[in-house]
Amino acid sequence: MKTAILTFQDALNYGAVLQAYALQHTLEKTFSPDEVGVLNYHCPIIRQKHAPTYVSKKGNPLKGFLKMLRYYPLKKRRKEVFDAFKAKYLNLISYDTPEEKKRFAQAFDAIVVGSDQVWNTDLTDNDAAYFLSDFSSMKRFSYAASIGKREINAQEAERYKALASLDRISVREASAKQILSTIIPNDVYTVPDPVLLLDQAEWRAVAKPYGDLKPGSYVLLYQFNTGASLVRFAQQKAAERGCKVVSIQNVDKQIPGAQVICDASPDEFVWLFDNAACVVTNSFHGTMFSVIFEKEFYSETKMNRSTRIVELLQKYQMNDSVLENSKPTGGTRDRELSRHLVAQDRQRGFDFIALMKDAEAQRTAL
């Protein structure tokens, strides 16, 4: 089954690019390497916001322009390392001109939308492409698609009705399953984010060391919008171990006594998680890679868009990794039970992909 993935491959975001690679790699093992690719679709709002020249429309326009100029070299460098990773690891399918779109429709049998927040209309500016209405000639699936929130409005509910035409539907969060089950008649499955489908060895085959950092010599801090309280907690954990803080950031905001990294490539990002002594994060994919590499980690849950992290930690019963207001909640964990729950979830993902393959077999038989 010649299959394309429709996702956020354009975003300069580690989770977005790495989940695209993970789903491609897993589907290649299910089908074959020459039958799977990532559709190089450019969602206008995502491409715009992740461009090095992007100027926010919020606030003072002059300040926004000056901020863009300040960070342009850094963002340009980040785009270069992301583009290099995608060129090496993603089988990108051209999808710009009418001729390319026609060739794609003729050559491919199926399309999979997901993972990531492809059904969060706030992020996509309600881009209809992610609801697959333009791909009716193909088998259509979703894998671990995320809505990114617990509640939707009437307009969004109307948009989600289009998903009833998909052949198989899976989402990443139980809350998304609950929402969709009230809107469409289809069976909706919950599956893990694609990054979990690759084991430690598969991720280490991709990982690339960052600079001269030594394994176990740092506490890794990975957060959106650097906050003082989470920084202090990471510094506390580093002091307990007699090591430094390494912070992966989008902007070059200095942290006293820490090494700030703004130009890591996605494969270096994987290495930084694998080799950290401890991880402090408020990122969903930061949490996911901490789980994969079985790190000691702490994830902030009292923040906007933390639904995904809360549900993940509850599902794996990793109560000892919960931070609220940058303080541990004091929960405990049965590590063997958590390991079993993670393995069970990974198998759930493989089982759904088998259902996708079965759906194509049924189509061929007809």
Side-chain angles (χ1 to χ4, degrees):
M1 180 164 67
K2 200 156 188 184
T3 304
I5 298 164
L6 176 61
T7 188
F8 291 163
Q9 86 296 334
D10 251 0
L12 297 184
N13 176 282
Y14 295 106
V17 172
L18 291 169
Q19 62 83 20
Y21 166 72
L23 185 55
Q24 174 189 283
H25 182 73
T26 303
L27 293 180
E28 285 175 339
K29 292 190 295 182
T30 305
F31 305 111
S32 69
D34 60 347
E35 290 186 331
V36 180
V38 176
L39 195 65
N40 204 21
Y41 173 73
H42 308 298
C43 174
I45 190 67
I46 290 177
R47 171 163 264 205
Q48 177 189 14
K49 287 188 173 182
H50 287 267
T53 54
Y54 174 68
V55 177
S56 175
K57 295 179 181 179
K58 298 179 180 179
N60 186 303
L62 178 59
K63 287 184 178 180
F65 179 73
L66 293 175
K67 183 178 180 181
M68 181 275 291
L69 290 179
R70 177 186 176 189
Y71 289 115
Y72 174 80
L74 172 61
K75 291 185 176 181
K76 182 174 180 289
R77 169 61 181 155
R78 291 187 75 240
K79 186 176 186 306
E80 289 170 352
V81 298
F82 270 72
D83 285 348
F85 177 87
K86 291 190 290 184
K88 183 176 181 179
Y89 289 106
L90 296 186
N91 302 325
L92 292 173
I93 305 162
S94 298
Y95 194 76
D96 292 311
T97 67
E99 293 77 13
E100 289 171 341
K101 293 177 181 180
K102 183 178 180 181
R103 283 198 298 270
F104 169 74
Q106 293 171 340
F108 280 77
D109 305 302
I111 187 162
V112 184
V113 63
S115 172
D116 224 321
Q117 297 184 65
V118 290
W119 291 340
N120 185 338
T121 55
D122 296 336
L123 290 183
T124 66
D125 196 24
N126 205 23
D127 191 333
Y130 296 105
F131 294 87
L132 305 185
S133 55
D134 292 338
F135 303 93
S136 57
S137 64
M138 305 176 184
K139 280 288 182 181
R140 291 173 291 172
F141 308 99
S142 70
Y143 182 86
S146 177
I147 293 173
K149 46 193 171 184
R150 290 182 181 272
E151 297 178 354
I152 61 171
N153 58 39
Q155 183 181 3
E156 290 171 321
E158 193 64 30
R159 164 62 73 192
Y160 294 142
K161 288 180 181 179
L163 299 175
S165 63
L166 271 61
D167 294 277
R168 292 277 193 276
I169 297 175
S170 70
V171 293
R172 197 170 61 190
E173 288 89 30
S175 55
K177 176 177 179 177
Q178 185 176 5
I179 289 170
L180 292 183
S181 295
T182 66
I183 299 171
I184 58 176
N186 312 55
D187 290 331
V188 179
Y189 301 82
T190 54
V191 295
D193 188 274
V195 299
L196 190 71
L197 301 178
L198 275 60
D199 60 26
Q200 293 180 4
E202 288 173 301
W203 279 120
R204 285 171 181 152
V206 174
K208 183 172 72 174
Y210 184 89
D212 59 357
L213 281 173
K214 300 294 188 292
S217 66
Y218 57 92
V219 167
L220 184 63
L221 172 64
Y222 179 51
Q223 60 175 333
F224 294 105
N225 303 320
T226 54
S229 58
L230 208 59
V231 168
R232 285 195 296 270
F233 183 76
Q235 290 171 329
Q236 173 191 327
K237 288 298 170 185
E240 290 173 1
R241 289 162 175 75
C243 61
K244 66 179 178 180
V245 172
V246 168
S247 180
I248 303 175
Q249 299 176 183
N250 290 328
V251 295
D252 191 15
K253 185 175 181 180
Q254 295 305 306
I255 296 174
Q259 179 177 347
V260 172
I261 296 175
C262 301
D263 62 349
S265 60
D267 38 5
E268 290 171 329
F269 175 92
V270 174
W271 187 92
L272 286 165
F273 271 84
D274 185 22
N275 291 279
C278 173
V279 176
V280 178
T281 188
N282 59 18
S283 153
F284 173 80
H285 280 105
T287 303
M288 282 298 316
F289 277 100
S290 300
V291 169
I292 291 166
F293 289 121
E294 298 186 336
K295 311 305 295 185
E296 177 188 349
F297 73 96
Y298 301 89
S299 289
E300 180 67 74
T301 59
K302 292 293 185 182
M303 55 174 285
N304 292 335
R305 294 195 293 171
S306 66
T307 300
R308 303 170 295 159
I309 298 175
V310 171
E311 291 190 24
L312 184 75
L313 297 179
Q314 288 176 345
K315 179 165 57 173
Y316 298 153
Q317 295 192 27
M318 296 180 171
N319 304 314
D320 60 329
S321 291
V322 177
L323 284 180
E324 290 187 359
N325 301 316
S326 301
K327 294 181 180 179
T329 59
T332 59
R333 183 196 315 188
D334 181 332
R335 293 193 173 273
E336 283 304 314
L337 175 60
S338 292
R339 190 175 288 117
H340 170 74
L341 293 171
V342 170
Q344 193 176 57
D345 205 24
R346 179 180 285 121
Q347 186 59 49
R348 191 176 293 116
F350 294 144
D351 290 345
F352 181 80
I353 290 173
L355 284 178
M356 289 166 45
K357 188 174 184 180
D358 182 59
E360 176 58 18
Q362 293 173 11
R363 178 189 186 209
T364 304
L366 293 173

